[in-house]
């Protein structure tokens, strides 16, 4: 059976990305030139925020005191799971030392970056979990200084639960800033922040573009587009569960694609018939976002076999990949391109988004073909070192000089041959 599209996404406007690029470029240039003044101006214009940028220790304590105990307990539960998983990841980072040839010792070390900037979205929704995912992971990695920013709400600033999460996870500095101006402030080290070595965290298209433009000057976790999710399901899956899993991810935004890949035509048609009714149960602005995402961005693909379904999933390389099908171990071994994998009807992307532990900052727009999500590895530099004795230096010098001259690099050859002259060695010592 050929792969059949029962539903396909609409094409996106060709000018969309170029307009965003132009806007972000102007903003970054202005902030580079004018510093904190430009940041405050953009914050007032875009977030309607005229209050202080830096959240003081007293304001932190007051915000934390306003958070209910149940909310604190839930946030602490999620934080513990995320920290535990990050600690397990860190345990996989090893240092090594090897004698490559007699007398030549080489090794590798793991060194955390000196500072990190963590962006926590807060526009349509208050993304408490993003604070947990980014700051906790940086802290476990051993980053000495962590700045966190999130869009302030007019008149009140960053929502109290987000501040509580930032404080719990160990943010050294919290700034009432969102959007491009928040990213630029962390990159430049404004408002008392240390200039960020790496910028991490999800955000809207403008935040993503700002990170992309700053990459090279600073590191970034990844260039992330709109969140996306794919569900693989067979005849054993439940229509209602699959439909809700898709709709729940569509509520992220109108540009968030969701995809169903299935070997069951009956399931596919059942999900397509139920989706709008489920969307209608959502409040605003979730309803409008999910409605557009489903009707403009969603796709439903019917496959003749599980191998065809796996091939389609690998081609999409989704950020989130759910499998609701028989023989989960087969899928775990077969699938190769995804940000995070959710196996079985008992799990859902919502768990990963909020509380279960593995990081929810993941590659989007097909980037899972070549990279994974945020982890302690992103905050850690794997660096190498070497030293050698005179005997090893002698052989290395001869072979290095010959290869250097073959390449036409005479300076390299001479520098190597300096190690062949005993008196030069003694002078160097």
């Amino acid at each position: 059976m050929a792969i059949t599209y029962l539903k396909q996404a609409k094409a996106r406007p060709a000018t969309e990305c170029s307009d965003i690029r132009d806007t972000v470029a102007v903003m970054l240039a202005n902030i580079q030139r004018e510093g904190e003044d430009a940041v405050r101006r953009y914050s007032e214009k875009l977030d309607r925020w005229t209050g202080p940028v830096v959240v003081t220790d007293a304001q932190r304590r007051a915000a934390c005191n306003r958070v209910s105990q149940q909310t604190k307990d839930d946030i602490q539960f999620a934080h513990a799971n995320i920290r535990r998983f990050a600690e397990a990841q860190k345990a996989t980072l090893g240092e090594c030392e090897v004698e490559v040839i007699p007398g030549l010792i080489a090794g590798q070390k793991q060194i955390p970056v000196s500072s990190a900037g963590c962006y926590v979205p807060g526009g349509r929704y208050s993304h408490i979990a993003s604070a947990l995912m980014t700051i906790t992971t940086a802290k476990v990695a051993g980053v000495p200084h962590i700045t966190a920013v999130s869009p302030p709400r007019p008149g009140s600033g960053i929502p109290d639960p987000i501040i509580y999460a930032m404080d719990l996870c160990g943010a050294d500095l919290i700034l009432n800033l969102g959007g491009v101006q928040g990213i630029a402030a962390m990159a430049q080290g404004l408002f008392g922040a240390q200039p960020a070595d790496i910028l991490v965290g999800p955000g809207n298209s403008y935040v993503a573009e700002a990170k992309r433009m700053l990459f090279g000057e600073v590191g970034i976790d990844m260039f992330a587009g709109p969140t996306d999710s794919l569900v693989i399901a067979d005849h054993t899956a439940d229509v209602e569960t699959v439909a809700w899993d898709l709709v729940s991810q569509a509520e992220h935004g109108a540009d968030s694609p969701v995809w169903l890949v299935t070997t069951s035509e009956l399931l596919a048609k059942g999900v397509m018939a139920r989706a709008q009714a489920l969307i209608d149960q959502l409040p605003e602005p979730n309803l409008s976002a999910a409605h557009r995402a489903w009707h403009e961005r969603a796709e439903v693909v019917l496959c003749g076999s599980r191998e065809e379904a796996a091939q389609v999933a690998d081609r999409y390389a989704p950020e989130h990949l759910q499998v609701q099908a028989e023989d989960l171990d087969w899928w775990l071994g077969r699938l190769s391109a995804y940000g995070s994998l959710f196996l079985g009807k008992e799990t859902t992307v919502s768990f990963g988004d909020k509380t279960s532990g593995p990081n929810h900052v993941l590659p989007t727009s097909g980037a899972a073909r070549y990279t994974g999500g945020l982890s302690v590895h992103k905050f850690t530099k794997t660096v190498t070192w070497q030293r050698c004795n005179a005997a090893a230096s002698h052989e290395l010098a001869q072979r290095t000089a010959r290869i250097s001259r073959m390449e036409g690099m005479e300076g390299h050859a001479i520098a190597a041959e300096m190690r062949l002259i005993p008196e030069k060695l003694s002078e160097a010592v």
Side-chain angles (χ1 to χ4, degrees), residues 227-244:
T227 189
D228 58 68
S229 295
L230 187 149
V231 175
I232 296 174
D234 65 9
H235 66 284
T236 67
D238 175 65
V239 168
E240 195 82 356
T241 301
V242 171
W244 265 121

Side-chain angles (χ1 to χ4, degrees), residues 101-394:
I101 62 173
L104 169 61
I105 309 296
Q108 82 173 22
K109 291 185 63 178
Q110 305 292 341
I111 303 176
V113 300
S114 296
S115 60
C118 298
Y119 188 88
V120 180
R124 184 183 293 111
Y125 308 117
S126 296
H127 287 273
I128 299 167
S130 290
L132 298 171
M133 297 288 177
T134 55
I135 301 167
T136 303
T137 309
K139 200 73 175 177
V140 170
V143 178
H145 183 86
I146 301 169
T147 299
V149 305
S150 191
R153 299 287 172 86
S156 59
I158 299 172
D160 293 341
I162 292 181
I163 290 181
Y164 175 75
M166 290 173 168
D167 185 73
L168 175 68
C169 298
D172 297 289
L173 180 67
I174 300 174
L175 302 178
N176 280 302
L177 289 174
V180 175
Q181 62 271 24
I183 292 293
M186 292 191 292
Q188 292 186 34
L190 303 179
F191 302 101
Q194 290 187 16
D197 294 325
I198 186 169
L199 298 168
V200 302
N204 63 21
S205 299
Y206 293 90
V207 168
E209 181 60 23
K211 287 166 63 180
R212 188 190 70 80
M213 287 186 173
L214 290 168
F215 178 57
E217 176 185 338
V218 297
I220 63 173
D221 46 3
M222 64 201 75
F223 177 62
T227 189
D228 58 68
S229 295
L230 187 149
V231 175
I232 296 174
D234 65 9
H235 66 284
T236 67
D238 175 65
V239 168
E240 195 82 356
T241 301
V242 171
W244 265 121
D245 283 340
L246 293 167
V247 167
S248 66
Q249 290 301 301
E251 79 173 346
H252 273 286
D255 55 355
S256 293
V258 292
W259 307 298
L260 171 61
V261 178
T262 180
T263 54
S264 169
E265 185 172 2
L266 184 64
L267 178 91
K269 291 182 176 178
V271 170
M272 292 172 67
R274 285 293 291 150
Q276 186 58 55
L278 301 185
I279 291 170
D280 289 340
Q281 296 180 37
L282 297 174
E284 290 290 5
N286 315 52
L287 190 156
S288 295
H291 176 83
R292 282 193 59 193
W294 176 258
H295 287 281
E296 297 180 12
R297 308 293 296 138
E299 296 189 330
V300 178
V301 187
L302 182 62
C303 300
S305 67
R306 67 180 186 179
E307 176 57 32
E308 279 187 351
Q311 290 174 10
V312 171
D314 282 348
R315 188 165 68 245
Y316 277 73
E319 176 187 12
H320 310 102
L321 177 54
Q322 283 188 257
V323 178
Q324 298 181 36
E326 293 179 318
D327 197 0
L328 296 177
D329 287 339
W330 183 87
W331 293 100
L332 178 59
R334 169 62 185 81
L335 295 165
S336 63
Y338 51 84
S340 193
L341 180 61
F342 301 80
L343 294 163
K345 63 182 181 180
E346 294 81 10
T347 190
T348 174
V349 174
S350 294
F351 291 171
D353 277 348
K354 310 302 178 186
T355 61
S356 58
N359 212 287
H360 82 187
V361 181
L362 301 165
T364 64
S365 307
R369 291 178 294 109
Y370 56 83
T371 189
L374 185 64
S375 69
V376 292
H377 304 79
K378 296 283 187 179
F379 295 102
T380 308
K381 300 172 289 186
T382 300
V383 298
T384 59
W385 58 269
Q386 56 188 277
R387 66 172 58 158
C388 57
N389 62 19
S393 181
H394 189 86

Side-chain angles (χ1 to χ4, degrees), residues 56-70:
T56 65
D57 289 344
Q59 289 169 333
R60 282 203 205 196
R61 288 193 297 272
C64 292
N65 289 336
R66 289 191 294 266
V67 176
S68 71
Q69 190 57 50
Q70 182 63 70

Side-chain angles (χ1 to χ4, degrees), residues 26-66:
V26 170
M27 292 181 69
L28 290 177
N30 288 339
I31 295 171
Q32 178 66 42
R33 184 175 60 253
E34 301 174 40
E36 294 181 1
D37 290 341
V39 169
R40 286 194 176 92
R41 188 169 66 251
Y42 282 124
S43 184
E44 181 175 357
K45 177 182 178 182
L46 300 174
D47 290 326
R48 292 178 292 156
W49 178 251
T50 57
V53 171
V54 177
V55 178
T56 65
D57 289 344
Q59 289 169 333
R60 282 203 205 196
R61 288 193 297 272
C64 292
N65 289 336
R66 289 191 294 266

